[in-house]
Amino acid sequence: MKDIKFPIKFSFNITTLSNDFTATDASGKTVAFVKQKMFKLKEDISIFDNQHKTNLEYKINADKWIDFSAAYSFKDSEGKEIGKIARKGWASIWKAHYEIIDQHQKLQYHIREENAWVKVLDSVLGQIPILGGFTGYLFNPSYIITDLKNQNIVRMKKEPSFFGRKFVLNELKPIDLDDKERIILGFMMMVLLERRRG
C-alpha cells in the first residue's frame, strides 16, 4: 500500500450487512478490501489486497471494549505494530478529532473534521423518510490531516452518493512512504467510526 497513488477512493458495499469497502487508487486499481467483523465488542478490521481476500495485508484492533476514547493499532501481515490511530474522546463529541501515532508511540499527525455543521445536518435530515436517501448528495463532510507544524497533508471528503458510500483522499503535500501507510490505514479506521456515528 506504500506505492499507491492519490487520489484514493473508498466505496462502501451497501448490499451486505457487513461494513465493507473497497479502496482504489488513481488508476482505478483495487489496492485494498477492508472488512469489519460484525457483532464484536472490540473493533476487528481485516485489510486484504483485493476483494477476493487472497492475502491479508493488515489488521486493525481496538485496545478498549468501548470506542469513546479507544486507540486502534495497525499491524502488518506478520503481526508487527506499525502505528495506531487514537480518537480524542471529549474533543470528538462536536468535531471529530483523531491522532495518528507512529510505531515508536510518538504523535505524528492530527485528523480534524473541517465543518461539524455539515455532519450534524446530514445526520438529522438523514432520519427523515425519503429525504434521508438524498442527504448523501447534499451534505458531504471533509476531514483534514495536519502534521505537527500544522501543515495540511491529506484531505478526505465524502463524495455525493446515496447512503454516504463514497469517500476520496487527496494528497496536499508529499508524504514519506512509511507515513503514507499509516495515514491511509488511519483514514480507513476513521471512516468506519465516523459512518457509524452518522
Side-chain angles (χ1 to χ4, degrees), residues 7 14 26 32 63 87 105 133 157 161 179 192:
I14 59 171
D63 67 353
R87 182 168 177 259
Q105 309 304 312
K157 186 169 178 60
S161 60
D179 290 0
L192 290 170

Side-chain angles (χ1 to χ4, degrees), residues 152-177:
N152 295 341
I153 306 296
V154 173
R155 174 178 282 112
M156 181 177 78
K157 186 169 178 60
K158 186 173 124 183
E159 291 191 315
S161 60
F162 281 113
F163 307 110
R165 59 180 293 265
K166 294 181 180 179
F167 296 79
V168 62
L169 274 65
N170 282 294
E171 185 179 40
L172 306 176
K173 192 173 183 292
I175 312 166
D176 291 340
L177 288 180

Side-chain angles (χ1 to χ4, degrees), residues 44-106:
D44 188 357
I45 316 298
S46 298
I47 300 168
F48 300 90
D49 61 347
N50 59 52
Q51 290 170 302
H52 303 294
K53 299 181 277 189
T54 311
N55 297 306
L56 179 66
E57 298 278 308
Y58 304 94
K59 291 281 288 182
I60 304 177
N61 298 102
D63 67 353
K64 293 184 180 180
W65 291 96
I66 56 174
D67 71 351
F68 187 67
S69 292
Y72 305 87
S73 297
F74 314 140
K75 293 181 180 176
D76 64 16
S77 57
E78 297 176 355
K80 178 184 175 185
E81 186 173 309
I82 56 176
K84 64 179 62 174
I85 185 170
R87 182 168 177 259
K88 303 301 289 180
W90 289 106
S92 290
I93 290 177
W94 171 243
K95 285 178 76 171
H97 182 194
Y98 296 81
E99 293 178 344
I100 292 183
I101 298 159
D102 70 12
Q103 71 271 36
H104 306 296
Q105 309 304 312
K106 292 183 179 178

Side-chain angles (χ1 to χ4, degrees), residues 88-162:
K88 303 301 289 180
W90 289 106
S92 290
I93 290 177
W94 171 243
K95 285 178 76 171
H97 182 194
Y98 296 81
E99 293 178 344
I100 292 183
I101 298 159
D102 70 12
Q103 71 271 36
H104 306 296
Q105 309 304 312
K106 292 183 179 178
L107 173 64
Q108 272 195 306
Y109 299 101
H110 294 276
I111 304 177
R112 292 185 177 91
E113 191 171 357
E114 292 195 277
N115 185 347
W117 281 109
V118 173
K119 186 169 62 181
V120 169
L121 291 170
D122 187 20
S123 181
V124 171
L125 295 178
Q127 304 303 313
I128 300 172
I130 301 174
L131 180 62
F134 294 95
T135 59
Y137 279 95
L138 301 173
F139 305 108
N140 298 294
S142 61
Y143 306 84
I144 193 85
I145 188 165
T146 56
D147 62 16
L148 299 184
K149 296 178 181 177
N150 207 33
Q151 298 179 96
N152 295 341
I153 306 296
V154 173
R155 174 178 282 112
M156 181 177 78
K157 186 169 178 60
K158 186 173 124 183
E159 291 191 315
S161 60
F162 281 113

